[in-house]
Amino acid sequence: MNRPVVEIERERKYEVAQDLVVPEFVGCGTVQGQDAPAEEQLDATYYDTAGFSLVRAGITLRRRVGGHDAGWHLKLPVGPDEREELQVPLGADDGRVPHELNQLLRAHTLGRKLLPIAHLKTDRFEHRLTDASGQIVATVTDDHVTGEVGGKTARLDRWREFEVELKGDAAPDLLDELESTLVDAGARTSQWPSKLRRLIGDRVPDGQVVGKRPDAGEVVGAYLREQFAALQRADVGVRRDVEDSVHQLRVASRKLRSALRTFSSIVDDDRVPGVTSELKWLGGELGPARDGEVVEALVREWLDGASAELVVGPVDQFLTRRFSREAVDARKKALEALRGKRYLALVQELDAVVSGVPTDAGPAKKVLRKPVRKAAGKLRKAEKAAHGLSGRELEHALHDVRKKAKRARYAADVVRPVFGGKVRVWRKNVKNVQQLLGDHQDWVVAGPVVYRLGVDGRDEGVGFTFGVLYGTGGGVRAGMQREFVSRWKQLEKGDAPNWL
């Protein structure tokens, strides 16, 4: 299996008239040299599902022949003017998408086959731009494009466009600098993010937009689609071992589960109980990987702030060996889950539920209040259940308060487009409670792990340090429990909508 080569692509596209001359960039600031154009003939076939799953997510997958970077290119959105490009060699000339790219896109394709959807030929004239030191800082390409897309009705289109791409560590504001010159010459910023998107045009429907007086189903559906898209993005990150991607996947799955449970009467789908149950399973499969990250970060943060006499022996090396080994096992478990049939069935069901939220549930401002009130009531009930408890019982009760606070906060996130500032302060106070109890739970989870580190580390001379940390944990948790009382009072006394 080929491991994709990864590059960050920072570029902008411009629409230009057929007779527009490529302007001179030298002397406009950073650029001090401009090479004569080098011509390339590019032939690219684009792939997607029949329903344009990748295009909808802002993803481009193509097989390009010709040019200096021939191969399979997978482009993932990062931010404005920026995409991450994964490149895989061409391989056999059979047009089949490489297995490694197919697997990366599984949460987007939902098991559907990737098919050729469009064909573009580009006659490219590339101008390299250099700075005063002769370093290449950008390229400007003059692309003459012929595109063809099939389907029920075929479409053939021809156009010309300029593409500006930064190179190396060129400053982002160079894009603005070059754009000024292009606009002065008569170029216009393209409304399309890619050549493919321009070619297929209205074949991809626009996403649903929540109006000024929305139906409750529109509001809930928009939130669910947003979180499902976040889950799909994080899924790709986990498969590529991108930092924090396991955490992001767990967050998205929790938000989906919470919203589906809280607003189940609005979603009104018999599949919701099964989907929420499977989302809970997914969280359990990802748990070891995330818990290991959290505990290691907590331990290292404490070590960074500890006085020198408390850090005895090769603690850092011991931690690295221990957590690296556990991280490998936890990641293996997470990947096995994502590659399995059970997870594929889950994302397929999620897609069906999220796509099918009805839009006749009633006026949002009227209908959405009850589910949020219910979530707030469960939070208050959980807090009362913690009164008079201590030790492990209190820790378990506070963990339940945390979960109820998270659910109430997520409920507020769903309705914010409708109620705006009326829920903002209440949500902020709920979040303050939730985050404190999240830190408290991290220390609860870390306790047994730190104890085990102390026992296992005795023979390596590091047991003392972990013993000190284990003892410290009790005081830290007690301090957080006292702070919880203060934050809860702030939540009770803080501003909140009357209907809460």
Side-chain angles (χ1 to χ4, degrees), residues 227 246-256 286 410:
Q227 297 311 318
V246 171
H247 174 55
Q248 294 303 323
L249 183 55
R250 289 189 82 193
V251 168
S253 64
R254 283 174 173 173
K255 288 184 176 181
L256 283 164
L286 300 174
Y410 291 161

Side-chain angles (χ1 to χ4, degrees), residues 73-89:
H73 301 163
L74 174 62
K75 298 189 179 187
L76 305 170
V78 175
D81 305 324
E82 189 172 332
R83 292 190 293 179
E84 193 172 27
E85 182 175 296
L86 281 62
Q87 300 178 1
V88 174

Side-chain angles (χ1 to χ4, degrees), residues 30-88:
T30 304
V31 178
Q32 297 299 313
Q34 180 170 337
D35 289 356
E39 185 176 7
E40 290 182 327
Q41 300 288 333
L42 310 176
D43 190 315
T45 302
Y46 289 78
Y47 289 73
D48 205 334
T49 63
F52 297 109
S53 301
L54 301 187
V55 171
R56 291 172 187 268
I59 296 172
T60 301
L61 175 63
R62 73 185 176 205
R63 183 181 187 274
R64 175 189 277 175
V65 178
H68 65 279
D69 61 347
W72 288 90
H73 301 163
L74 174 62
K75 298 189 179 187
L76 305 170
V78 175
D81 305 324
E82 189 172 332
R83 292 190 293 179
E84 193 172 27
E85 182 175 296
L86 281 62
Q87 300 178 1
V88 174

